[in-house]
Structures are given as structure tokens and as C-alpha cells.
Amino acid sequence: MIELKGKAGEAVQLEAGQSGFDLLKKTGAKGMIALKLNGKLQDLAAAITEPGEFELIGLKTPEGEEILRHSTSHIMADAVQKLFPSAKVTIGPAIENGFYYDFDYPPGFKEEDLAAIEAKMKEIVKSDVRFARSEMKREDAVKLFEQKGEKYKVELINDLPEGSVIFIYQSGDFVDLCRGPHIPSTRYVKAYKLVSVAGAYWRGNEKNPQLQRIYGTAFADQEALDAYLQRLEEAKKRDHRRLGPQLGLFTLDDAVGSGLVLWKPKGTIIRNELQKFISEHLRRQGYSQVCTPHIGRLGLYKTSGHYPYYRESQFPPIIEKDFFADKVAEGCTCAQLANLMENGEIDGYLLKPMNCPMHIKIFASDHHSYRDLPVRLAEFGTVYRWEKSGELGGMTRVRGFTQDDAHLFVTEDQLPAEIEGCLELVKIVLTTLGISEYRVRVGLREPDSNKYAGTPEQWDKAEKACLDAAKTLGVAFTAEPGDAVFYGPKIDFVVKDVIGREWQLGTVQVDYQLPQRFDLSYTGADNKPHRPVMIHRAPFGSMERFVGVLIEHFAGAFPLWLSPVQVAVLSISEKFEAYAVEVTDALKIAGIRAESDLSAEKIGAKIRSATLAKAPYMLVVGQREQAERAVSVRTRTGGDQGSMPLEAFIKRCGEEIASRSLTIGSSA
RNA sequence: GCCGAUGUAGCUCAGUCGGUAGAGCAGCUGAUUCGUAAUCAGCAGGUCGUGAGUUCGAAUCUCACCGUCGGCUCCA
């Protein structure tokens, strides 16, 4: 007899050897697809072997959806192999909002193949075959997949840790190595859709063969699937690549180049407001602002280590004219020149990929006493990086961008407090803008890798400082080995865009390496030279990416203080043009960004166009307003707010801008 | 970079079988002078991404290139 207890406290007794299906019968629950026993998921068909707490999993729960999607990926793989027998299977997990399966199939799939695969899947679903699990010995499993010619599965089995139990799932003719669990049978799949095909490298490594990935999604019912597809459509409308040009914020032009953003006047207002905002906090936190050029000699970046470590993601060096002329005169071939470039055996200039070396040189240009520290140098510094062409997109992945960068030169003792100060700044930014959906990632070094500069002792200290600081944040964070920069560990703030992709915004990085590489020092209280520690930090990350994400966050409807046009003054007719201009001028004098719409349109049309342009405030002015030197106030979302004296509106609007309020009309 | 999709007016999109390019919005001009999400009329606007090729004839078919979009470990 096995004693089980449900979540609601109900007790159920089972005979030894009975399964989840028996439990299902006893509880009378319907539409369940899996069982969670003592926190572990298992198939309904599997025998229940231990007492404890159980939970039956339905299709409409997150865990149920994940199982459904994983099972659907098996059905898809089955369909693919029926239609394309030479396709080899690799992995096919459930992912957020769907699933994928990777196949080795060199001819490749076309999007038009998806319909045929879906049709075949329909047959498999209808055939109502069970997902049957069996346990196998490693040798038997290897033999099974070798016979089938499934070399990737063999590789996966061989990589499983010693002593792990190997499970095989069979549904109809399809056999797959899989840890499960699965839905009981294929007919549980009610609503699914194959979304796209893509190339994907085996184990994500470009050096491995490229596989064919098919993405799909599945939901408990058609309604849920339709709702999901609807949500995707809605999200597309908030995409910064659509809204940005639409609202006149930025443009991208082939003739300028891929990944190079042209900020239009309205976008520049947003960028400048953000910079003004952060600059206020920089002053408060004791930063000094500096300016540095866009290029610097190659040697500088060899010293810093950026040239060797990041050469692949840099624009090639700019070489001096004389150097080329001399080499050509010496009879140097193209291949030899390319080689010199490759090895960095050239002198020239690099379009700067990072600002730190120049800030370091500013620090090093003066002698520093311990009394001067921390020295905090900040710059809105523009950098250029050669991102792979396939990874470019909108404002979030570009080749030229401006970081709200700063470098702090601190003593070892000051490090924890300074890291916390940087984190506080990031928090101020996120809070002021109402960004609450983000995660914090502490990037640590990958053990057993030689791609990092510095000693293990320094890394230990730096990693500890980051982890300690992250703990003071009061926000959950994950430590991720392998995500460090070559010179040190870091704390990143990561947000999602409208289509669910993650982007790193703010970052704080600890660095023991560059001070050493540049032989930086300060004089301590003991009158001896000491090595400072550096912190790199950027609360926004880059202005381009941050504004891109912000456009989506606000769906283009920026809070008053950021709105390019804060107040649209709408005249009822030509008769009140003079008053409309007077009102607009009064607002401008008060430092409010105002524009008047004096067109021959009717008031309804003017309101419509100002609303579509996302102007936070609209002022309707006509006979009544002119007579009383008043304005009729309308907000972007709240409609008609009634009339008030012009001066009162200016005061209220000014206060609301100064407070950087997130809601329109909040200070009223 | 690689796999797949895609590119027609400023924007959103139509364009059949290969027969010489169309709408709405935006713009311009005129009329209208109006009270809270679209006043009416007229006009103008295109190297059909670029370049080759096939053809009597190409937006349409073929190839190359360029740009854009989705994806390239969320791990049995």
C-alpha cells in the first residue's frame, strides 16, 4: 500500500505497482497528462513507487504545456522522418512558447515543406499511438541508434554521465532517446503550428555541421493557440523598428551602412533627456565627465588586450598612407599585407571598440594620491564594433553606438561600496522609467579556460565582490559561469524585447587587469605606490539599444519628460491662430516642448493626428479659451480634461516634467 | 558568416497566364473656418532593391550581388 497526499490535502491509497492512470481514476480528475510526485514529473503510465505528495498536471498549466510541446516535437520528428527518410534526428526540446527539433538534412527544408509536415503530423495525432517509455542499458541504446544510423543520438548517449539511467520513448514507429515525460498518447495534441525553419549549428558551435531547425508551437486548444498568434501580431506593432521610424525617432539607410543609426531630431530629444537625467546623478555621485576621440593608435588596444581578444569584432585598422606606400614600394603582396594586418604587425589607428583605454590614459596623466580616489570618469562615448551581418537589427544590435560609459579607479577597500554605488545608479534608471521586468546576471569566469587575463586569486576577489554586491540589490540574480569579460566578472541587467529576445542593458564590471596592463598606480598613505582597481559601468548600456528597448517598453507613448513633443496646441479654426501661437510661445518660453497645429483641418482630425503621434497633452483653443486666456486640456489616454487657465497649465506641466512622472496628469 | 523568408510610391499593401504599374494614408494646391480620434475636390509622386541573362516583350522566369526579417544550445 502506498500513501499519497494531494496538494489540497486529500489522501489517496494505491496498490503497489499501480500507475498515474489508477490515481487518475481514484481522484476522478479529467484531462490530466502527467503526474508530479514529490516535485518530480513522470508519465501517467509509469508505476508509482514511493509515497508522498502528488499533483496531477493538466494541459493548461505551464508544466503541462511544456510536456505537450515536447511531445509535439517528437510527433514532428516522426513526421519529418516519414517524409524525409534521410533526415537524422538530434535534439528537440520544448522552449518558451513552443518547441523546435533539429535535423541533419543537408538538402535543407523550405518553408513550403512545413504544410506537408503538418499534414503528416495530423495523421500521427489521429492514429492515437501511446508514448511508451522503456529503460535501456547504455550499450543497448548505443547499438539501437547505431543501427538506425542516428549518430547524433549515439553522441548524446556517450556524453551522458556515468551511471545515468537511459530512457527510450516510442510512439508508433518513432523511437527517441528522451528523458520525458510525455503526454500519454498522440491524440492529446489538439492545436499546433509549425512556425519557421532555420539553420542551427550542432551544439551551437559554428565549427560543427549546420542542422536544419524547425520551430513550432502547441497549445492545449485552438483558442489558446489563436490567442498566442494574436498576441504575436500585437507585439509586432510595438516593435521599435516599426514605431521608431513611424514616430520620426530614427532612421536606417543602406547608403550609410548596416547597423549605423541616424538619430532624427525627435529621437535625439529623447536621447538628450536621458543623458541629462543620468548626468544629474553623475554629479551627485561624484563623477567627472570627459571627452575622448573616436580613433586611437593600435598600440593602445594591444596594450589593453582589446586588439587580440576582440579582433574579430572590430573594424579593421586604419592604416597610415605612408605605411602602405612604403610596403608597396618594398614589393609587398596583398597576401603579405593581409598577414601583417592579421598579426597586428602594423601601426595604424583603430576605430575605438571601447572607451576604457582612453579613460585610463586620462587617469594616468596625473599623479594620484589615495586621497584622490575614487576617480570616476564618465563619457557618452561612441564605439564601433564589427557585429556579424546576420546579427544586426534595428537599434538593439548595431555597429556604432554610444555607451553611457564610466570608469572608476578605486582602492581595494573602496571596491565593494563603489560597486554598490554603480548598482544603485542602474536601479535609479530602471525605477524612474518603470522597467520592472528584468533579470540580473552575474557573469563569472568559465573554469578551465585560458581565455581570461589575470591570476586566479584576482578573479576570486573580483567575483566575490560582484556576488556580494549583487546580494545587496534585493533582486533575484543568477550566477552564470562563462559570461565574464576577458578582464573580469560583471553584473548585467537583462530585459526582453517585444518578441521575447533578451538584451543586456546596464552593466557593472570589475577589472584587475587593465590597471596592471597600463601599470597604473596611486600613492598610498604609506607613501608607497599601489595598484588601483577599475570598475567599468554603463547604466543604460548603449543609448541605441536602451532607446530601442524603451520605445517598445512604452509602445512609443513616452512619459511627458521624454516626449519629443510634450504639448500639441490645436486651434479650432483660423480665427484663433494668433492665440494658438501665443499659447505655444508661452509654453516654449517656460521650457516646454510645444507645437501648434494650425492646419485647416477640423478639431477632430487634429486630435486624431496628435494622438497618433503620441503627444501626451493636447490643448484645444478656440473662442472660449481666447476670451479667458485659458486652454482646454486633453491627455493622450484620458480624453477631455476640461478647461483651465493657461498659466495654471504651464505650472502644472512644468512640475510634471521636473518630477519625471510616468503618468500624464499625475501632479494635478 | 551560415540556414530560411523577403524587397512594388514617404508608409501599408494590390498587381491573374510574361503584354509595358494601381489603391488607401501621408504630401502639395484649392475650397471649407468647423468644439474633442479622419471635411471635400483636384494634383503630384515609381530605375518594381541593384546588375546581368532568357524572351519580340520581364515587377512577373534564371543567376549573382545588396538590404531587411526570423533563427544559429532555452540542450536526451
Side-chain angles (χ1 to χ4, degrees):
Chain A
M1 201 62 90
I2 297 170
E3 291 274 349
L4 295 174
K5 217 173 79 185
K7 262 182 99 181
E10 70 274 29
V12 183
Q13 294 187 338
L14 285 181
E15 304 292 328
Q18 286 196 307
S19 71
F21 281 120
D22 298 303
L23 180 60
L24 209 55
K25 266 183 225 143
K26 289 217 170 181
T27 56
K30 291 249 178 335
M32 297 298 164
I33 55 152
L35 170 68
K36 195 173 187 179
L37 183 60
N38 296 324
K40 276 188 295 189
L41 288 166
Q42 66 176 58
D43 293 330
L44 283 182
I48 291 170
T49 53
E50 54 181 277
E53 201 178 79
F54 75 90
E55 186 186 345
L56 287 159
I57 304 296
L59 269 181
K60 289 208 163 180
T61 62
E63 283 160 325
E65 281 187 329
E66 191 181 329
I67 293 167
L68 169 73
R69 287 168 185 160
H70 185 195
S71 298
T72 310
S73 88
H74 276 232
I75 294 170
M76 180 177 80
D78 187 4
V80 165
Q81 288 201 317
K82 283 192 164 86
L83 293 168
F84 308 91
S86 70
K88 304 257 173 286
V89 290
T90 67
I91 59 166
I95 55 174
E96 198 180 335
N97 294 322
F99 62 85
Y100 67 79
Y101 210 112
D102 284 349
F103 303 92
D104 182 10
Y105 182 64
F109 300 114
K110 297 269 178 294
E111 217 140 271
E112 55 206 68
D113 295 330
L114 297 184
I117 298 170
E118 276 186 3
K120 183 60 80 178
M121 286 171 72
K122 200 170 173 185
E123 285 174 29
I124 297 168
V125 167
K126 245 177 117 178
S127 70
D128 189 17
V129 291
R130 288 176 51 216
F131 277 86
R133 189 179 76 161
S134 51
E135 202 176 314
M136 265 196 170
K137 281 199 202 123
R138 186 182 293 253
E139 310 84 74
D140 295 340
V142 167
K143 207 185 288 170
L144 172 72
F145 287 104
E146 267 174 357
Q147 269 168 13
K148 289 175 164 288
E150 297 288 6
K151 59 176 181 176
Y152 295 93
K153 289 291 175 190
V154 174
E155 191 179 325
L156 288 170
I157 295 167
N158 287 331
D159 283 354
L160 289 176
E162 199 61 33
S164 42
V165 188
I166 292 168
F167 291 112
I168 301 295
Y169 273 84
Q170 177 150 17
S171 49
D173 317 318
F174 184 69
V175 180
D176 201 353
L177 167 75
C178 185
R179 72 180 156 196
H182 279 286
I183 52 178
S185 109
T186 58
R187 82 179 151 80
Y188 283 73
V189 178
K190 302 282 190 224
Y192 59 92
K193 184 177 167 63
L194 301 187
V195 179
S196 62
V197 290
Y201 299 99
W202 171 235
R203 302 196 150 172
N205 188 336
E206 292 180 71
K207 295 187 179 82
N208 289 339
Q210 187 165 44
L211 309 173
Q212 295 288 318
R213 174 171 297 181
I214 301 180
Y215 281 94
T217 191
F219 283 85
D221 52 43
Q222 191 61 38
E223 210 174 302
L225 175 60
D226 290 343
Y228 168 70
L229 296 174
Q230 178 83 37
R231 271 205 313 281
L232 280 187
E233 283 304 310
E234 288 300 315
K236 273 193 202 152
K237 291 184 193 154
R238 277 193 302 145
D239 193 315
H240 78 276
R241 289 166 299 189
R242 180 201 277 240
L243 276 177
Q246 217 172 65
L247 297 172
L249 305 181
F250 69 90
T251 186
L252 295 161
D253 192 311
D254 293 359
V256 174
S258 285
L260 300 170
V261 177
L262 299 175
W263 291 77
K264 295 173 72 165
K266 286 185 174 159
T268 304
I269 287 171
I270 294 170
R271 173 173 162 154
N272 285 342
E273 284 295 340
L274 289 169
Q275 293 186 351
K276 204 171 96 192
F277 157 59
I278 200 94
S279 295
E280 286 169 17
H281 287 283
L282 293 185
R283 279 194 289 279
R284 193 175 58 79
Q285 287 201 349
Y287 283 80
S288 315
Q289 293 203 331
V290 297
C291 295
T292 66
H294 287 222
I295 63 171
R297 284 178 64 180
L298 199 52
L300 181 69
Y301 296 96
K302 286 187 196 162
T303 304
S304 70
H306 290 117
Y307 192 68
Y309 282 100
Y310 286 125
R311 197 165 48 75
E312 289 308 312
S313 56
Q314 285 162 5
F315 279 83
I318 301 161
I319 297 178
E320 289 179 54
K321 284 183 277 187
D322 294 347
F323 177 86
F324 260 131
D326 291 349
K327 285 291 163 193
V328 170
E330 283 169 28
C332 196
T333 64
C334 285
Q336 286 169 321
L337 276 172
N339 228 351
L340 291 174
M341 291 269 271
E342 183 74 19
N343 301 327
E345 292 164 6
I346 41 166
D347 198 6
Y349 290 82
L350 200 61
L351 213 38
K352 74 175 169 188
M354 288 194 174
N355 299 305
C356 20
M358 297 204 184
H359 292 182
I360 287 171
K361 285 300 185 188
I362 290 176
F363 176 83
S365 69
D366 290 310
H367 280 276
H368 293 280
S369 145
Y370 70 98
R371 297 173 198 273
D372 304 336
L373 268 47
V375 169
R376 309 180 185 90
L377 303 179
E379 174 183 17
F380 295 105
T382 305
V383 297
Y384 298 89
R385 296 183 188 168
W386 186 263
E387 300 291 348
K388 287 194 272 184
S389 60
E391 293 198 324
L392 295 171
M395 303 251 275
T396 41
R397 187 62 147 231
V398 292
R399 285 183 172 162
F401 54 94
T402 301
Q403 298 175 311
D404 59 324
D405 209 359
H407 296 93
L408 290 76
F409 302 84
V410 309
T411 69
E412 193 92 33
D413 294 344
Q414 291 164 341
L415 187 61
E418 289 300 316
I419 296 176
E420 281 178 38
C422 293
L423 293 181
E424 189 201 329
L425 198 52
V426 181
K427 266 178 91 173
I428 289 171
V429 165
L430 296 174
T431 308
T432 304
L433 293 162
I435 299 173
S436 53
E437 305 253 315
Y438 61 90
R439 70 185 187 92
V440 179
R441 177 175 69 191
V442 182
L444 306 174
R445 69 191 185 281
E446 199 169 355
D448 317 321
S449 171
N450 56 2
K451 69 178 177 183
Y452 303 105
T455 66
E457 293 71 37
Q458 290 172 328
W459 274 88
D460 288 343
K461 268 194 283 184
E463 289 184 346
K464 183 175 183 303
C466 283
L467 288 167
D468 287 347
K471 281 173 199 155
T472 68
L473 257 181
V475 184
F477 65 90
T478 54
E480 297 182 27
D483 268 337
V485 201
F486 78 89
Y487 51 70
K490 60 174 183 170
I491 304 167
D492 288 336
F493 291 74
V494 179
V495 300
K496 281 186 185 172
D497 67 13
V498 285
I499 55 175
R501 290 184 295 203
E502 287 200 324
W503 298 105
Q504 176 202 309
L505 296 180
T507 182
V508 178
Q509 310 175 351
V510 178
D511 181 2
Y512 281 86
Q513 300 317 312
L514 291 183
Q516 192 175 337
R517 283 172 167 269
F518 283 93
D519 195 23
L520 299 181
S521 69
Y522 65 90
T523 305
D526 55 4
N527 198 31
K528 285 183 184 147
H530 294 267
R531 184 85 72 210
V533 186
M534 272 177 74
I535 303 171
H536 308 238
R537 55 84 294 180
F540 293 136
S542 89
M543 300 315 294
E544 283 74 9
R545 180 177 289 177
F546 194 84
V547 170
V549 167
L550 214 51
I551 291 169
E552 299 184 357
H553 175 67
F554 290 122
F558 287 93
L560 187 64
W561 69 282
L562 284 174
S563 286
V565 175
Q566 294 168 317
V567 181
V569 180
L570 315 177
S571 55
I572 292 286
S573 81
E574 208 174 340
K575 290 178 201 157
F576 314 106
E577 187 179 313
Y579 181 60
V581 170
E582 189 187 331
V583 168
T584 309
D585 286 347
L587 289 163
K588 283 181 184 165
I589 288 165
I592 296 165
R593 294 186 290 270
E595 272 182 14
S596 45
D597 182 349
L598 306 175
S599 65
E601 290 294 341
K602 298 211 277 194
I603 195 65
K606 293 187 185 188
I607 287 169
R608 183 179 147 81
S609 79
T611 307
L612 291 177
K614 321 253 186 206
Y617 279 113
M618 285 158 253
L619 300 182
V620 175
V621 293
Q623 178 65 56
R624 294 200 293 270
E625 290 74 15
Q626 186 173 29
E628 297 165 24
R629 197 174 164 75
V631 290
S632 276
V633 181
R634 204 188 147 88
T635 63
R636 185 166 56 200
T637 49
D640 194 351
Q641 307 288 303
S643 173
M644 70 194 292
L646 173 60
E647 302 311 324
F649 175 77
I650 290 176
K651 182 161 180 285
R652 159 180 156 176
C653 190
E655 283 166 2
E656 203 176 315
I657 292 167
S659 72
R660 298 204 168 95
S661 162
L662 284 170
T663 46
I664 311 295
S666 61
S667 69

